[in-house]
Amino acid sequence: MALVSVEECRRAAQLALGNVGADAEAAQLQTDLLLDAELRGVPSHGFLRLERLVTRIGNGVANPQTRGVHSWRGDSFLSVDGQQGLGPVVASHAAKAAGARARQTGIAVAAIANNNHIGMLAWYAETIAEAGLVSIILTTSEALVHPFGGGKALLGTNPIAIGVPTDAGPFVIDLATSLVSMGEIHDHAHRGAALPEGWALDADGKPTTDPEAAKRGAIAPFGAAKGYALGLAFELLVTALTGAALGRDVTGTLDAVKPASKGDVFIVIDPLSGQGAALAAYLDVVRQTPPVPGFEKVLIPGERGRARKAERLVSGITLADPVWASMQRLRDAAPAGGARS
Amino acid sequence: MALVSVEECRRAAQLALGNVGADAEAAQLQTDLLLDAELRGVPSHGFLRLERLVTRIGNGVANPQTRGVHSWRGDSFLSVDGQQGLGPVVASHAAKAAGARARQTGIAVAAIANNNHIGMLAWYAETIAEAGLVSIILTTSEALVHPFGGGKALLGTNPIAIGVPTDAGPFVIDLATSLVSMGEIHDHAHRGAALPEGWALDADGKPTTDPEAAKRGAIAPFGAAKGYALGLAFELLVTALTGAALGRDVTGTLDAVKPASKGDVFIVIDPLSGQGAALAAYLDVVRQTPPVPGFEKVLIPGERGRARKAERLVSGITLADPVWASMQRLRDAAPAGGARS
């Protein structure tokens, strides 16, 4: 493992993206999203993804120049053709436009197709909440999750994030509708550790505790039938709004060669004023609930990640050696097409 | 148990509501919601609630006349003061207005405060989907659910419904963020059956399998930390939009004397055209997933309830004897204030 300062990580990722044609703003936004995941302790959405992204740019399935094409289908409905742009670049421009419109009309939605992986949703929800707006954010992914009672991966991990501004700062949840992430399966595989029962099925739809078999199989939905229902509803809702591919037709968030065919939805709402103090006071009451045996205290979602972020901004980030080696290699590579922009 | 025809149930409930001052449209909407829950097999949201509702009208905390007062805070944001109206009456008028606006602007939200219990959310999601629109519906409730790791009820059961139109008809999910409903706890109490472990805590925050102790305690969130995060986010989001009370300050959905202080949120979206066939085809693929051992087949959420409804529309509804006796008594009561409207 390598302990690297935030500034050194940031610089390496930005230069790596610049080397393959990203301009300064695009390189910064994409880097911010990867960095934020590392800071909050979600390395599956961190710099691990940089090399594949650079390869995708080289392969012509990620365009580091575009911001996406915006068309308003109604005063409050923004359709975005992501033109295979960098996920965070297209998504944050779309979210900003939806937020500005929500301040006028009360609510607006941005529905994005043809966009690369947008990274950790918490980043957007927090940014939007810091601007005083409520958000509901959905994005779909390659099919990795089996239906409740079914033996085959047919659903994306289909996460949801919700952000609500309060007087004590943004309240943010960000959770996949799978029981665990594919990153956790890979982590068990690396460590040669068995999976807990109930996490995964193998390629034949049989329960397995072997992480290698799980990689070729399917992850369980969280919360049994209810989590399955939510994941399925998000898959349908996102496609209804964006025209994205469904189920096993979704490509481009895990591979290096196929266009990204999933969808992203940002619903942004201008809340009532004057509720921020009540929301913060209620969160305090929840935080102070007497814990049950086995728990030290009741946690508010998002706060552990935020504490980790504050810590790592100072201490730096611990990266797996191959990840940091790859970042340095990409940083020091010759710029594509000659000059660095 | 009494087997009663749908028409007889409908007539009894409508007359009972008419007797306490509801006009024909209001009595019909309120009855439809109670009836729909019985038809789909969710008696906790069915005619069991009629007597309390009639009492609430008598106590002046449910107003059978109002449709709620609408104010547009922006072109796409409808604030509704429910004026303690009948939940389904206020909610369906608000949802209709939001739907009409969504057809113009792409998306609209109705945020409702001061409204009585709106019944099963699936009814609204299905009605809206039948009109070709997508919906996300939230409502809060009295605090019945403990935070993950906490020993006290501080969250509503905070359900979510999502409806998406497809070429094979509406796709609808409707689920509470609690592991089970308080209705299921009461059902175990009636039968003198122990609760499964993990369902509930007693009033001291200790795990219990005694349904009587659970009634005074708290129900678990579904899906551990993730279901808790969702329930908490819904509680905050609804209050941010409606100004509703939070946590243990919520009243009026289980008692007969206090004003209803929870909130309801309807987000209605006009989807892209042309996705309905793809959505229906995908649902077929999911439905045909080979089941894992212990399952006969993979279910699509909502379909079991819909099948039950089709059956019961013909066969009639089985009501607990005290429920049917109470409905008959309320039906045959003298109209309040003399004449029946």
Side-chain angles (χ1 to χ4, degrees):
Chain A
M1 301 297 273
L3 180 68
V4 189
S5 79
V6 167
E7 271 326 298
E8 209 172 345
C9 284
R10 198 194 293 275
R11 190 174 157 272
Q14 290 188 3
L15 287 172
L17 290 161
N19 287 339
V20 287
D23 59 64
E25 189 214 34
Q28 189 200 311
L29 274 168
Q30 179 66 63
T31 298
D32 275 357
L33 262 289
L34 298 174
L35 177 61
D36 196 63
E38 296 286 354
L39 289 168
R40 287 183 209 251
V42 188
S44 61
H45 286 52
F47 291 121
L48 178 69
R49 288 177 177 264
L50 183 66
E51 179 154 9
R52 187 166 52 215
L53 193 56
V54 166
T55 310
R56 286 183 64 79
I57 294 172
N59 289 342
V61 288
N63 173 350
Q65 306 273 336
T66 185
R67 269 65 181 149
V69 175
H70 289 195
S71 0
W72 287 92
R73 291 182 48 230
D75 279 352
S76 304
F77 193 128
L78 176 63
S79 265
V80 179
D81 174 359
Q83 299 185 308
Q84 298 297 326
L86 297 180
V89 176
V90 171
S92 58
H93 278 266
K96 201 169 284 184
R101 188 56 57 92
R103 288 192 200 281
Q104 294 167 18
T105 63
I107 185 172
V109 58
I112 310 170
N114 307 317
N115 191 29
N116 274 283
H117 193 270
I118 68 175
M120 242 180 74
L121 303 187
W123 185 90
Y124 304 93
E126 187 163 299
T127 304
I128 294 167
E130 274 163 0
L133 299 168
V134 167
S135 62
I136 301 172
I137 309 172
L138 303 171
T139 186
T140 50
S141 81
E142 251 99 335
L144 293 172
V145 178
H146 62 78
F148 180 65
K152 196 172 163 186
L154 280 176
L155 298 155
T157 53
N158 299 359
I160 180 171
I162 294 177
V164 181
T166 85
D167 283 7
F171 167 86
V172 172
I173 69 164
D174 175 3
L175 56 98
T177 50
S178 51
L179 185 60
V180 292
S181 68
M182 193 42 97
E184 286 171 273
I185 304 286
H186 281 268
D187 180 53
H188 278 72
H190 287 314
R191 294 190 287 111
L195 302 176
E197 279 182 33
W199 277 26
L201 304 176
D202 66 18
D204 298 323
K206 297 208 168 53
T208 186
T209 58
D210 172 5
E212 293 298 339
K215 281 201 234 170
R216 295 182 300 272
I219 312 172
F222 93 99
K226 289 191 178 195
Y228 156 57
L230 283 171
L232 184 57
F234 296 163
E235 184 109 16
L236 295 179
L237 189 154
V238 167
T239 292
L241 269 51
T242 65
L246 287 156
R248 296 178 81 93
D249 293 335
V250 177
T251 57
T253 63
L254 296 172
D255 63 76
V257 292
K258 292 179 189 157
S261 60
K262 51 79 189 167
D264 318 309
V265 168
F266 288 74
I267 296 171
V268 188
I269 314 171
D270 194 2
L272 283 182
S273 56
Q275 299 303 310
L279 298 178
Y282 171 62
L283 286 175
D284 266 342
V285 171
V286 174
R287 197 180 280 114
Q288 285 152 23
T289 321
V292 294
F295 288 80
E296 249 179 71
K297 57 175 191 163
V298 169
L299 296 171
I300 301 297
E303 291 193 344
R304 231 171 358 177
R306 206 171 294 146
R308 239 185 245 126
K309 180 172 172 173
E311 207 179 281
R312 291 181 185 182
L313 279 169
V314 179
S315 68
I317 294 162
T318 305
L319 295 170
D321 289 324
V323 171
W324 177 230
S326 147
M327 286 175 74
Q328 291 172 290
R329 200 169 55 243
L330 297 169
R331 175 194 68 194
D332 300 333
R340 183 167 283 165
S341 71
Chain B
M1 301 296 273
L3 179 69
V4 189
S5 79
V6 167
E7 270 326 298
E8 208 172 344
C9 284
R10 196 193 296 273
R11 188 173 157 271
Q14 291 187 2
L15 286 172
L17 289 161
N19 286 340
V20 287
D23 59 63
E25 189 214 35
Q28 189 200 312
L29 275 168
Q30 179 67 64
T31 297
D32 276 359
L33 264 288
L34 299 173
L35 177 61
D36 196 64
E38 296 286 353
L39 290 168
R40 289 183 208 250
V42 189
S44 61
H45 286 51
F47 292 120
L48 179 68
R49 288 177 178 263
L50 183 65
E51 180 155 8
R52 187 165 51 215
L53 193 57
V54 166
T55 310
R56 286 182 64 80
I57 293 171
N59 288 342
V61 288
N63 173 350
Q65 306 274 336
T66 184
R67 269 66 181 149
V69 175
H70 290 195
S71 358
W72 287 93
R73 291 183 46 229
D75 278 352
S76 304
F77 193 127
L78 176 63
S79 265
V80 179
D81 174 0
Q83 299 186 307
Q84 298 298 325
L86 298 180
V89 176
V90 171
S92 58
H93 278 266
K96 201 169 283 183
R101 188 55 57 91
R103 288 192 200 281
Q104 294 167 18
T105 64
I107 185 171
V109 60
I112 310 170
N114 307 318
N115 190 28
N116 274 282
H117 193 270
I118 67 175
M120 242 181 74
L121 303 186
W123 185 91
Y124 305 93
E126 187 162 298
T127 304
I128 295 168
E130 274 164 0
L133 299 169
V134 167
S135 62
I136 301 173
I137 309 172
L138 303 172
T139 186
T140 50
S141 81
E142 251 98 335
L144 293 172
V145 178
H146 63 78
F148 180 65
K152 196 172 163 185
L154 280 176
L155 299 155
T157 53
N158 298 0
I160 180 171
I162 295 177
V164 181
T166 84
D167 283 7
F171 167 86
V172 172
I173 69 165
D174 176 2
L175 55 99
T177 50
S178 52
L179 185 59
V180 293
S181 68
M182 193 43 96
E184 285 171 274
I185 305 286
H186 281 268
D187 180 53
H188 278 72
H190 287 314
R191 294 189 288 111
L195 302 176
E197 279 182 33
W199 277 26
L201 305 176
D202 66 18
D204 298 324
K206 297 208 166 54
T208 185
T209 59
D210 172 6
E212 292 299 339
K215 282 201 235 171
R216 296 182 298 272
I219 312 173
F222 94 99
K226 289 191 178 194
Y228 156 56
L230 283 170
L232 184 57
F234 296 163
E235 184 108 16
L236 296 178
L237 189 153
V238 167
T239 292
L241 269 53
T242 65
L246 288 155
R248 297 179 81 93
D249 293 335
V250 177
T251 56
T253 63
L254 296 174
D255 63 77
V257 291
K258 293 180 189 157
S261 59
K262 51 78 189 168
D264 318 309
V265 167
F266 287 75
I267 297 171
V268 187
I269 314 171
D270 194 1
L272 283 182
S273 55
Q275 299 303 311
L279 298 178
Y282 171 63
L283 286 175
D284 266 342
V285 171
V286 173
R287 197 179 282 113
Q288 286 152 23
T289 321
V292 295
F295 287 80
E296 249 179 70
K297 56 174 192 162
V298 169
L299 296 170
I300 301 297
E303 290 194 344
R304 231 172 357 178
R306 207 171 294 147
R308 238 185 247 125
K309 180 173 173 174
E311 208 179 281
R312 291 181 185 183
L313 278 169
V314 179
S315 68
I317 295 163
T318 305
L319 295 170
D321 289 323
V323 171
W324 177 230
S326 147
M327 286 175 75
Q328 291 171 290
R329 200 170 54 242
L330 297 169
R331 175 193 67 194
D332 300 334
R340 184 166 282 164
S341 70

